[in-house]
PDB file of all heavy atoms in Angstrom:
ATOM      1  N   PHE M   1     -46.837 -60.443 -64.514  1.00 94.00           N
ATOM      2  CA  PHE M   1     -47.592 -61.687 -64.602  1.00 94.00           C
ATOM      3  C   PHE M   1     -49.011 -61.349 -65.046  1.00 94.00           C
ATOM      4  O   PHE M   1     -49.443 -60.183 -65.016  1.00 94.00           O
ATOM      5  CB  PHE M   1     -47.603 -62.433 -63.258  1.00 94.00           C
ATOM      6  CG  PHE M   1     -48.200 -61.650 -62.123  1.00 94.00           C
ATOM      7  CD1 PHE M   1     -49.551 -61.739 -61.810  1.00 94.00           C
ATOM      8  CD2 PHE M   1     -47.410 -60.791 -61.365  1.00 94.00           C
ATOM      9  CE1 PHE M   1     -50.105 -61.021 -60.774  1.00 94.00           C
ATOM     10  CE2 PHE M   1     -47.950 -60.075 -60.322  1.00 94.00           C
ATOM     11  CZ  PHE M   1     -49.299 -60.173 -60.023  1.00 94.00           C
ATOM     12  N   ILE M   2     -49.740 -62.384 -65.473  1.00 93.00           N
ATOM     13  CA  ILE M   2     -51.104 -62.203 -65.989  1.00 93.00           C
ATOM     14  C   ILE M   2     -52.038 -63.118 -65.192  1.00 93.00           C
ATOM     15  O   ILE M   2     -51.945 -64.347 -65.300  1.00 93.00           O
ATOM     16  CB  ILE M   2     -51.193 -62.548 -67.488  1.00 93.00           C
ATOM     17  CG1 ILE M   2     -50.249 -61.661 -68.290  1.00 93.00           C
ATOM     18  CG2 ILE M   2     -52.622 -62.397 -67.997  1.00 93.00           C
ATOM     19  CD1 ILE M   2     -50.197 -62.005 -69.773  1.00 93.00           C
ATOM     20  N   PRO M   3     -52.933 -62.554 -64.395  1.00 93.00           N
ATOM     21  CA  PRO M   3     -53.924 -63.392 -63.702  1.00 93.00           C
ATOM     22  C   PRO M   3     -54.866 -64.059 -64.706  1.00 93.00           C
ATOM     23  O   PRO M   3     -55.231 -63.467 -65.720  1.00 93.00           O
ATOM     24  CB  PRO M   3     -54.670 -62.401 -62.797  1.00 93.00           C
ATOM     25  CG  PRO M   3     -53.759 -61.225 -62.671  1.00 93.00           C
ATOM     26  CD  PRO M   3     -53.013 -61.150 -63.967  1.00 93.00           C
ATOM     27  N   ALA M   4     -55.242 -65.282 -64.416  1.00 91.00           N
ATOM     28  CA  ALA M   4     -56.138 -66.017 -65.313  1.00 91.00           C
ATOM     29  C   ALA M   4     -57.515 -65.356 -65.353  1.00 91.00           C
ATOM     30  O   ALA M   4     -57.971 -64.773 -64.365  1.00 91.00           O
ATOM     31  CB  ALA M   4     -56.253 -67.467 -64.870  1.00 91.00           C
ATOM     32  N   GLU M   5     -58.166 -65.452 -66.511  1.00 87.00           N
ATOM     33  CA  GLU M   5     -59.471 -64.804 -66.684  1.00 87.00           C
ATOM     34  C   GLU M   5     -60.547 -65.367 -65.756  1.00 87.00           C
ATOM     35  O   GLU M   5     -61.361 -64.603 -65.229  1.00 87.00           O
ATOM     36  CB  GLU M   5     -59.910 -64.934 -68.140  1.00 87.00           C
ATOM     37  CG  GLU M   5     -61.184 -64.168 -68.475  1.00 87.00           C
ATOM     38  CD  GLU M   5     -61.498 -64.209 -69.957  1.00 87.00           C
ATOM     39  OE1 GLU M   5     -60.724 -64.839 -70.705  1.00 87.00           O
ATOM     40  OE2 GLU M   5     -62.507 -63.607 -70.363  1.00 87.00           O
ATOM     41  N   PRO M   6     -60.616 -66.705 -65.496  1.00 87.00           N
ATOM     42  CA  PRO M   6     -61.663 -67.201 -64.579  1.00 87.00           C
ATOM     43  C   PRO M   6     -61.499 -66.736 -63.141  1.00 87.00           C
ATOM     44  O   PRO M   6     -62.412 -66.939 -62.334  1.00 87.00           O
ATOM     45  CB  PRO M   6     -61.502 -68.734 -64.678  1.00 87.00           C
ATOM     46  CG  PRO M   6     -60.798 -68.976 -65.953  1.00 87.00           C
ATOM     47  CD  PRO M   6     -59.889 -67.803 -66.152  1.00 87.00           C
ATOM     48  N   MET M   7     -60.375 -66.132 -62.781  1.00 86.00           N
ATOM     49  CA  MET M   7     -60.147 -65.695 -61.410  1.00 86.00           C
ATOM     50  C   MET M   7     -60.713 -64.313 -61.139  1.00 86.00           C
ATOM     51  O   MET M   7     -60.585 -63.803 -60.017  1.00 86.00           O
ATOM     52  CB  MET M   7     -58.641 -65.704 -61.121  1.00 86.00           C
ATOM     53  CG  MET M   7     -58.002 -67.073 -61.259  1.00 86.00           C
ATOM     54  SD  MET M   7     -56.216 -67.039 -61.132  1.00 86.00           S
ATOM     55  CE  MET M   7     -56.019 -66.473 -59.461  1.00 86.00           C
ATOM     56  N   GLY M   8     -61.321 -63.680 -62.118  1.00 86.00           N
ATOM     57  CA  GLY M   8     -61.836 -62.330 -61.950  1.00 86.00           C
ATOM     58  C   GLY M   8     -62.967 -62.259 -60.941  1.00 86.00           C
ATOM     59  O   GLY M   8     -63.851 -63.119 -60.900  1.00 86.00           O
ATOM     60  N   GLY M   9     -62.925 -61.226 -60.096  1.00 85.00           N
ATOM     61  CA  GLY M   9     -63.983 -60.999 -59.121  1.00 85.00           C
ATOM     62  C   GLY M   9     -63.844 -61.775 -57.833  1.00 85.00           C
ATOM     63  O   GLY M   9     -64.792 -61.805 -57.030  1.00 85.00           O
ATOM     64  N   ARG M  10     -62.689 -62.394 -57.566  1.00 89.00           N
ATOM     65  CA  ARG M  10     -62.496 -63.178 -56.342  1.00 89.00           C
ATOM     66  C   ARG M  10     -61.195 -62.786 -55.662  1.00 89.00           C
ATOM     67  O   ARG M  10     -60.242 -62.389 -56.320  1.00 89.00           O
ATOM     68  CB  ARG M  10     -62.483 -64.674 -56.665  1.00 89.00           C
ATOM     69  CG  ARG M  10     -63.827 -65.211 -57.114  1.00 89.00           C
ATOM     70  CD  ARG M  10     -63.794 -66.699 -57.340  1.00 89.00           C
ATOM     71  NE  ARG M  10     -62.995 -67.044 -58.501  1.00 89.00           N
ATOM     72  CZ  ARG M  10     -62.739 -68.287 -58.897  1.00 89.00           C
ATOM     73  NH1 ARG M  10     -63.217 -69.300 -58.191  1.00 89.00           N
ATOM     74  NH2 ARG M  10     -62.017 -68.518 -59.969  1.00 89.00           N
ATOM     75  N   PRO M  11     -61.128 -62.925 -54.329  1.00 92.00           N
ATOM     76  CA  PRO M  11     -59.895 -62.589 -53.606  1.00 92.00           C
ATOM     77  C   PRO M  11     -58.936 -63.784 -53.551  1.00 92.00           C
ATOM     78  O   PRO M  11     -59.354 -64.932 -53.431  1.00 92.00           O
ATOM     79  CB  PRO M  11     -60.409 -62.231 -52.202  1.00 92.00           C
ATOM     80  CG  PRO M  11     -61.646 -63.049 -52.042  1.00 92.00           C
ATOM     81  CD  PRO M  11     -62.262 -63.166 -53.413  1.00 92.00           C
ATOM     82  N   PHE M  12     -57.638 -63.488 -53.618  1.00 93.00           N
ATOM     83  CA  PHE M  12     -56.595 -64.505 -53.532  1.00 93.00           C
ATOM     84  C   PHE M  12     -55.418 -63.926 -52.757  1.00 93.00           C
ATOM     85  O   PHE M  12     -55.245 -62.701 -52.676  1.00 93.00           O
ATOM     86  CB  PHE M  12     -56.130 -64.956 -54.925  1.00 93.00           C
ATOM     87  CG  PHE M  12     -57.186 -65.634 -55.732  1.00 93.00           C
ATOM     88  CD1 PHE M  12     -57.894 -64.933 -56.695  1.00 93.00           C
ATOM     89  CD2 PHE M  12     -57.496 -66.961 -55.535  1.00 93.00           C
ATOM     90  CE1 PHE M  12     -58.880 -65.543 -57.451  1.00 93.00           C
ATOM     91  CE2 PHE M  12     -58.482 -67.586 -56.279  1.00 93.00           C
ATOM     92  CZ  PHE M  12     -59.173 -66.873 -57.236  1.00 93.00           C
ATOM     93  N   GLY M  13     -54.628 -64.822 -52.209  1.00 93.00           N
ATOM     94  CA  GLY M  13     -53.414 -64.407 -51.526  1.00 93.00           C
ATOM     95  C   GLY M  13     -52.255 -64.321 -52.502  1.00 93.00           C
ATOM     96  O   GLY M  13     -51.889 -65.315 -53.132  1.00 93.00           O
ATOM     97  N   LEU M  14     -51.682 -63.138 -52.657  1.00 94.00           N
ATOM     98  CA  LEU M  14     -50.561 -62.925 -53.566  1.00 94.00           C
ATOM     99  C   LEU M  14     -49.264 -62.973 -52.757  1.00 94.00           C
ATOM    100  O   LEU M  14     -49.075 -62.200 -51.809  1.00 94.00           O
ATOM    101  CB  LEU M  14     -50.684 -61.586 -54.281  1.00 94.00           C
ATOM    102  CG  LEU M  14     -49.543 -61.205 -55.226  1.00 94.00           C
ATOM    103  CD1 LEU M  14     -49.385 -62.231 -56.331  1.00 94.00           C
ATOM    104  CD2 LEU M  14     -49.762 -59.811 -55.804  1.00 94.00           C
ATOM    105  N   VAL M  15     -48.373 -63.904 -53.139  1.00 94.00           N
ATOM    106  CA  VAL M  15     -47.095 -64.088 -52.462  1.00 94.00           C
ATOM    107  C   VAL M  15     -45.981 -63.857 -53.479  1.00 94.00           C
ATOM    108  O   VAL M  15     -45.947 -64.510 -54.523  1.00 94.00           O
ATOM    109  CB  VAL M  15     -46.973 -65.495 -51.839  1.00 94.00           C
ATOM    110  CG1 VAL M  15     -45.619 -65.661 -51.169  1.00 94.00           C
ATOM    111  CG2 VAL M  15     -48.097 -65.730 -50.840  1.00 94.00           C
ATOM    112  N   ILE M  16     -45.072 -62.924 -53.163  1.00 95.00           N
ATOM    113  CA  ILE M  16     -43.928 -62.614 -54.021  1.00 95.00           C
ATOM    114  C   ILE M  16     -42.667 -62.838 -53.194  1.00 95.00           C
ATOM    115  O   ILE M  16     -42.482 -62.209 -52.148  1.00 95.00           O
ATOM    116  CB  ILE M  16     -43.988 -61.167 -54.533  1.00 95.00           C
ATOM    117  CG1 ILE M  16     -45.268 -60.958 -55.356  1.00 95.00           C
ATOM    118  CG2 ILE M  16     -42.762 -60.848 -55.383  1.00 95.00           C
ATOM    119  CD1 ILE M  16     -45.489 -59.524 -55.779  1.00 95.00           C
ATOM    120  N   ASN M  17     -41.820 -63.753 -53.638  1.00 95.00           N
ATOM    121  CA  ASN M  17     -40.605 -64.121 -52.912  1.00 95.00           C
ATOM    122  C   ASN M  17     -39.369 -63.743 -53.714  1.00 95.00           C
ATOM    123  O   ASN M  17     -39.324 -63.929 -54.938  1.00 95.00           O
ATOM    124  CB  ASN M  17     -40.581 -65.629 -52.633  1.00 95.00           C
ATOM    125  CG  ASN M  17     -41.690 -66.055 -51.675  1.00 95.00           C
ATOM    126  OD1 ASN M  17     -42.015 -65.340 -50.728  1.00 95.00           O
ATOM    127  ND2 ASN M  17     -42.272 -67.211 -51.933  1.00 95.00           N
ATOM    128  N   LEU M  18     -38.372 -63.247 -53.005  1.00 95.00           N
ATOM    129  CA  LEU M  18     -37.069 -62.930 -53.592  1.00 95.00           C
ATOM    130  C   LEU M  18     -36.027 -63.851 -52.954  1.00 95.00           C
ATOM    131  O   LEU M  18     -35.852 -63.863 -51.732  1.00 95.00           O
ATOM    132  CB  LEU M  18     -36.695 -61.466 -53.342  1.00 95.00           C
ATOM    133  CG  LEU M  18     -35.366 -61.008 -53.937  1.00 95.00           C
ATOM    134  CD1 LEU M  18     -35.425 -61.046 -55.465  1.00 95.00           C
ATOM    135  CD2 LEU M  18     -35.014 -59.610 -53.454  1.00 95.00           C
ATOM    136  N   ASN M  19     -35.353 -64.638 -53.787  1.00 95.00           N
ATOM    137  CA  ASN M  19     -34.362 -65.610 -53.319  1.00 95.00           C
ATOM    138  C   ASN M  19     -32.950 -65.091 -53.621  1.00 95.00           C
ATOM    139  O   ASN M  19     -32.655 -64.730 -54.763  1.00 95.00           O
ATOM    140  CB  ASN M  19     -34.580 -66.972 -53.997  1.00 95.00           C
ATOM    141  CG  ASN M  19     -35.999 -67.496 -53.792  1.00 95.00           C
ATOM    142  OD1 ASN M  19     -36.463 -67.615 -52.671  1.00 95.00           O
ATOM    143  ND2 ASN M  19     -36.685 -67.805 -54.878  1.00 95.00           N
ATOM    144  N   TYR M  20     -32.096 -65.084 -52.586  1.00 95.00           N
ATOM    145  CA  TYR M  20     -30.720 -64.602 -52.764  1.00 95.00           C
ATOM    146  C   TYR M  20     -29.831 -65.300 -51.747  1.00 95.00           C
ATOM    147  O   TYR M  20     -30.298 -65.967 -50.814  1.00 95.00           O
ATOM    148  CB  TYR M  20     -30.654 -63.075 -52.623  1.00 95.00           C
ATOM    149  CG  TYR M  20     -31.188 -62.543 -51.315  1.00 95.00           C
ATOM    150  CD1 TYR M  20     -30.328 -62.276 -50.240  1.00 95.00           C
ATOM    151  CD2 TYR M  20     -32.540 -62.283 -51.144  1.00 95.00           C
ATOM    152  CE1 TYR M  20     -30.808 -61.784 -49.045  1.00 95.00           C
ATOM    153  CE2 TYR M  20     -33.031 -61.798 -49.952  1.00 95.00           C
ATOM    154  CZ  TYR M  20     -32.162 -61.538 -48.895  1.00 95.00           C
ATOM    155  OH  TYR M  20     -32.655 -61.064 -47.698  1.00 95.00           O
ATOM    156  N   ARG M  21     -28.520 -65.148 -51.913  1.00 93.00           N
ATOM    157  CA  ARG M  21     -27.527 -65.737 -51.016  1.00 93.00           C
ATOM    158  C   ARG M  21     -26.359 -64.769 -50.851  1.00 93.00           C
ATOM    159  O   ARG M  21     -26.115 -63.902 -51.715  1.00 93.00           O
ATOM    160  CB  ARG M  21     -27.046 -67.095 -51.543  1.00 93.00           C
ATOM    161  CG  ARG M  21     -26.264 -67.004 -52.838  1.00 93.00           C
ATOM    162  CD  ARG M  21     -25.712 -68.349 -53.276  1.00 93.00           C
ATOM    163  NE  ARG M  21     -26.756 -69.299 -53.598  1.00 93.00           N
ATOM    164  CZ  ARG M  21     -26.841 -70.500 -53.039  1.00 93.00           C
ATOM    165  NH1 ARG M  21     -25.937 -70.873 -52.134  1.00 93.00           N
ATOM    166  NH2 ARG M  21     -27.792 -71.338 -53.383  1.00 93.00           N
ATOM    167  N   ASP M  22     -25.654 -64.929 -49.735  1.00 91.00           N
ATOM    168  CA  ASP M  22     -24.493 -64.064 -49.481  1.00 91.00           C
ATOM    169  C   ASP M  22     -23.226 -64.727 -49.981  1.00 91.00           C
ATOM    170  O   ASP M  22     -23.251 -65.829 -50.561  1.00 91.00           O
ATOM    171  CB  ASP M  22     -24.402 -63.710 -47.995  1.00 91.00           C
ATOM    172  CG  ASP M  22     -24.287 -64.961 -47.110  1.00 91.00           C
ATOM    173  OD1 ASP M  22     -24.124 -66.081 -47.672  1.00 91.00           O
ATOM    174  OD2 ASP M  22     -24.362 -64.832 -45.886  1.00 91.00           O
ATOM    175  N   SER M  23     -22.099 -64.055 -49.760  1.00 89.00           N
ATOM    176  CA  SER M  23     -20.818 -64.590 -50.246  1.00 89.00           C
ATOM    177  C   SER M  23     -20.402 -65.853 -49.527  1.00 89.00           C
ATOM    178  O   SER M  23     -19.606 -66.644 -50.054  1.00 89.00           O
ATOM    179  CB  SER M  23     -19.728 -63.521 -50.093  1.00 89.00           C
ATOM    180  OG  SER M  23     -19.625 -63.111 -48.723  1.00 89.00           O
ATOM    181  N   SER M  24     -20.948 -66.103 -48.343  1.00 88.00           N
ATOM    182  CA  SER M  24     -20.618 -67.322 -47.594  1.00 88.00           C
ATOM    183  C   SER M  24     -21.457 -68.516 -48.007  1.00 88.00           C
ATOM    184  O   SER M  24     -21.253 -69.624 -47.509  1.00 88.00           O
ATOM    185  CB  SER M  24     -20.807 -67.074 -46.084  1.00 88.00           C
ATOM    186  OG  SER M  24     -19.965 -66.023 -45.644  1.00 88.00           O
ATOM    187  N   GLY M  25     -22.439 -68.317 -48.871  1.00 88.00           N
ATOM    188  CA  GLY M  25     -23.282 -69.411 -49.331  1.00 88.00           C
ATOM    189  C   GLY M  25     -24.567 -69.580 -48.549  1.00 88.00           C
ATOM    190  O   GLY M  25     -25.309 -70.542 -48.796  1.00 88.00           O
ATOM    191  N   ASN M  26     -24.843 -68.682 -47.620  1.00 91.00           N
ATOM    192  CA  ASN M  26     -26.083 -68.760 -46.853  1.00 91.00           C
ATOM    193  C   ASN M  26     -27.264 -68.331 -47.732  1.00 91.00           C
ATOM    194  O   ASN M  26     -27.219 -67.294 -48.388  1.00 91.00           O
ATOM    195  CB  ASN M  26     -26.008 -67.864 -45.610  1.00 91.00           C
ATOM    196  CG  ASN M  26     -24.894 -68.300 -44.669  1.00 91.00           C
ATOM    197  OD1 ASN M  26     -24.680 -69.497 -44.470  1.00 91.00           O
ATOM    198  ND2 ASN M  26     -24.174 -67.337 -44.104  1.00 91.00           N
ATOM    199  N   VAL M  27     -28.317 -69.141 -47.720  1.00 93.00           N
ATOM    200  CA  VAL M  27     -29.484 -68.910 -48.564  1.00 93.00           C
ATOM    201  C   VAL M  27     -30.519 -68.118 -47.775  1.00 93.00           C
ATOM    202  O   VAL M  27     -30.804 -68.408 -46.612  1.00 93.00           O
ATOM    203  CB  VAL M  27     -30.084 -70.244 -49.050  1.00 93.00           C
ATOM    204  CG1 VAL M  27     -31.317 -69.997 -49.908  1.00 93.00           C
ATOM    205  CG2 VAL M  27     -29.052 -71.038 -49.837  1.00 93.00           C
ATOM    206  N   PHE M  28     -31.097 -67.109 -48.451  1.00 94.00           N
ATOM    207  CA  PHE M  28     -32.136 -66.270 -47.836  1.00 94.00           C
ATOM    208  C   PHE M  28     -33.326 -66.177 -48.784  1.00 94.00           C
ATOM    209  O   PHE M  28     -33.181 -66.280 -49.997  1.00 94.00           O
ATOM    210  CB  PHE M  28     -31.595 -64.859 -47.542  1.00 94.00           C
ATOM    211  CG  PHE M  28     -30.416 -64.846 -46.624  1.00 94.00           C
ATOM    212  CD1 PHE M  28     -29.119 -64.772 -47.142  1.00 94.00           C
ATOM    213  CD2 PHE M  28     -30.577 -64.903 -45.256  1.00 94.00           C
ATOM    214  CE1 PHE M  28     -28.017 -64.754 -46.312  1.00 94.00           C
ATOM    215  CE2 PHE M  28     -29.473 -64.879 -44.405  1.00 94.00           C
ATOM    216  CZ  PHE M  28     -28.193 -64.812 -44.935  1.00 94.00           C
ATOM    217  N   GLN M  29     -34.463 -65.947 -48.167  1.00 93.00           N
ATOM    218  CA  GLN M  29     -35.701 -65.747 -48.932  1.00 93.00           C
ATOM    219  C   GLN M  29     -36.525 -64.673 -48.245  1.00 93.00           C
ATOM    220  O   GLN M  29     -36.839 -64.781 -47.055  1.00 93.00           O
ATOM    221  CB  GLN M  29     -36.525 -67.028 -49.038  1.00 93.00           C
ATOM    222  CG  GLN M  29     -37.757 -66.893 -49.948  1.00 93.00           C
ATOM    223  CD  GLN M  29     -38.558 -68.179 -50.014  1.00 93.00           C
ATOM    224  OE1 GLN M  29     -39.178 -68.566 -49.023  1.00 93.00           O
ATOM    225  NE2 GLN M  29     -38.542 -68.833 -51.171  1.00 93.00           N
ATOM    226  N   ASP M  30     -36.872 -63.647 -49.004  1.00 93.00           N
ATOM    227  CA  ASP M  30     -37.630 -62.522 -48.462  1.00 93.00           C
ATOM    228  C   ASP M  30     -39.006 -62.499 -49.108  1.00 93.00           C
ATOM    229  O   ASP M  30     -39.125 -62.411 -50.339  1.00 93.00           O
ATOM    230  CB  ASP M  30     -36.886 -61.212 -48.731  1.00 93.00           C
ATOM    231  CG  ASP M  30     -37.528 -60.033 -48.008  1.00 93.00           C
ATOM    232  OD1 ASP M  30     -38.535 -60.250 -47.301  1.00 93.00           O
ATOM    233  OD2 ASP M  30     -37.030 -58.901 -48.171  1.00 93.00           O
ATOM    234  N   ALA M  31     -40.067 -62.611 -48.276  1.00 92.00           N
ATOM    235  CA  ALA M  31     -41.442 -62.490 -48.772  1.00 92.00           C
ATOM    236  C   ALA M  31     -41.753 -61.007 -48.953  1.00 92.00           C
ATOM    237  O   ALA M  31     -42.235 -60.331 -48.039  1.00 92.00           O
ATOM    238  CB  ALA M  31     -42.420 -63.152 -47.813  1.00 92.00           C
ATOM    239  N   VAL M  32     -41.457 -60.518 -50.127  1.00 93.00           N
ATOM    240  CA  VAL M  32     -41.596 -59.081 -50.378  1.00 93.00           C
ATOM    241  C   VAL M  32     -43.050 -58.647 -50.276  1.00 93.00           C
ATOM    242  O   VAL M  32     -43.362 -57.579 -49.752  1.00 93.00           O
ATOM    243  CB  VAL M  32     -41.025 -58.740 -51.770  1.00 93.00           C
ATOM    244  CG1 VAL M  32     -41.109 -57.249 -52.038  1.00 93.00           C
ATOM    245  CG2 VAL M  32     -39.594 -59.225 -51.883  1.00 93.00           C
ATOM    246  N   PHE M  33     -43.961 -59.458 -50.766  1.00 94.00           N
ATOM    247  CA  PHE M  33     -45.394 -59.132 -50.724  1.00 94.00           C
ATOM    248  C   PHE M  33     -46.138 -60.397 -50.322  1.00 94.00           C
ATOM    249  O   PHE M  33     -45.963 -61.458 -50.930  1.00 94.00           O
ATOM    250  CB  PHE M  33     -45.872 -58.631 -52.086  1.00 94.00           C
ATOM    251  CG  PHE M  33     -47.253 -58.045 -52.065  1.00 94.00           C
ATOM    252  CD1 PHE M  33     -47.456 -56.719 -51.748  1.00 94.00           C
ATOM    253  CD2 PHE M  33     -48.354 -58.832 -52.354  1.00 94.00           C
ATOM    254  CE1 PHE M  33     -48.726 -56.167 -51.727  1.00 94.00           C
ATOM    255  CE2 PHE M  33     -49.625 -58.299 -52.339  1.00 94.00           C
ATOM    256  CZ  PHE M  33     -49.819 -56.960 -52.020  1.00 94.00           C
ATOM    257  N   ASN M  34     -46.991 -60.263 -49.300  1.00 92.00           N
ATOM    258  CA  ASN M  34     -47.734 -61.420 -48.798  1.00 92.00           C
ATOM    259  C   ASN M  34     -49.067 -60.914 -48.240  1.00 92.00           C
ATOM    260  O   ASN M  34     -49.252 -60.806 -47.032  1.00 92.00           O
ATOM    261  CB  ASN M  34     -46.939 -62.156 -47.726  1.00 92.00           C
ATOM    262  CG  ASN M  34     -47.572 -63.484 -47.354  1.00 92.00           C
ATOM    263  OD1 ASN M  34     -48.585 -63.877 -47.908  1.00 92.00           O
ATOM    264  ND2 ASN M  34     -46.977 -64.173 -46.402  1.00 92.00           N
ATOM    265  N   GLN M  35     -50.003 -60.629 -49.169  1.00 92.00           N
ATOM    266  CA  GLN M  35     -51.289 -60.068 -48.772  1.00 92.00           C
ATOM    267  C   GLN M  35     -52.399 -60.645 -49.651  1.00 92.00           C
ATOM    268  O   GLN M  35     -52.139 -61.235 -50.709  1.00 92.00           O
ATOM    269  CB  GLN M  35     -51.281 -58.537 -48.900  1.00 92.00           C
ATOM    270  CG  GLN M  35     -50.296 -57.846 -47.973  1.00 92.00           C
ATOM    271  CD  GLN M  35     -50.331 -56.337 -48.137  1.00 92.00           C
ATOM    272  OE1 GLN M  35     -51.239 -55.791 -48.771  1.00 92.00           O
ATOM    273  NE2 GLN M  35     -49.352 -55.657 -47.568  1.00 92.00           N
ATOM    274  N   THR M  36     -53.621 -60.424 -49.190  1.00 93.00           N
ATOM    275  CA  THR M  36     -54.796 -60.849 -49.956  1.00 93.00           C
ATOM    276  C   THR M  36     -55.244 -59.714 -50.867  1.00 93.00           C
ATOM    277  O   THR M  36     -55.451 -58.585 -50.406  1.00 93.00           O
ATOM    278  CB  THR M  36     -55.945 -61.240 -49.021  1.00 93.00           C
ATOM    279  OG1 THR M  36     -55.510 -62.306 -48.162  1.00 93.00           O
ATOM    280  CG2 THR M  36     -57.156 -61.712 -49.820  1.00 93.00           C
ATOM    281  N   VAL M  37     -55.367 -60.012 -52.150  1.00 93.00           N
ATOM    282  CA  VAL M  37     -55.774 -59.019 -53.152  1.00 93.00           C
ATOM    283  C   VAL M  37     -57.007 -59.554 -53.880  1.00 93.00           C
ATOM    284  O   VAL M  37     -57.296 -60.751 -53.869  1.00 93.00           O
ATOM    285  CB  VAL M  37     -54.638 -58.725 -54.153  1.00 93.00           C
ATOM    286  CG1 VAL M  37     -53.440 -58.140 -53.443  1.00 93.00           C
ATOM    287  CG2 VAL M  37     -54.261 -59.984 -54.918  1.00 93.00           C
TER     288      VAL M  37
END
C-alpha cells in the first residue's frame, strides 16, 4: 500500500486484518497488525 503524501510526519493506527473461514462455514478475522506507526 502507499500512504498518502499529506500524512507524512504524523502517527496513525495501522490495522491489518485477515479474513478466512473453515470448512464448516464459520467466519474468522485475525487482526494481524494493530499498532500505532
Side-chain angles (χ1 to χ4, degrees):
F1 59 91
I2 301 176
E5 186 174 0
M7 299 172 64
R10 291 184 291 177
F12 296 99
L14 178 60
V15 179
I16 300 174
N17 294 322
L18 181 66
N19 304 305
Y20 57 95
R21 66 176 64 235
D22 59 8
S23 58
S24 300
N26 298 320
V27 179
F28 301 97
Q29 186 181 69
D30 188 1
V32 182
F33 190 86
N34 190 2
Q35 296 180 12
T36 301
V37 298

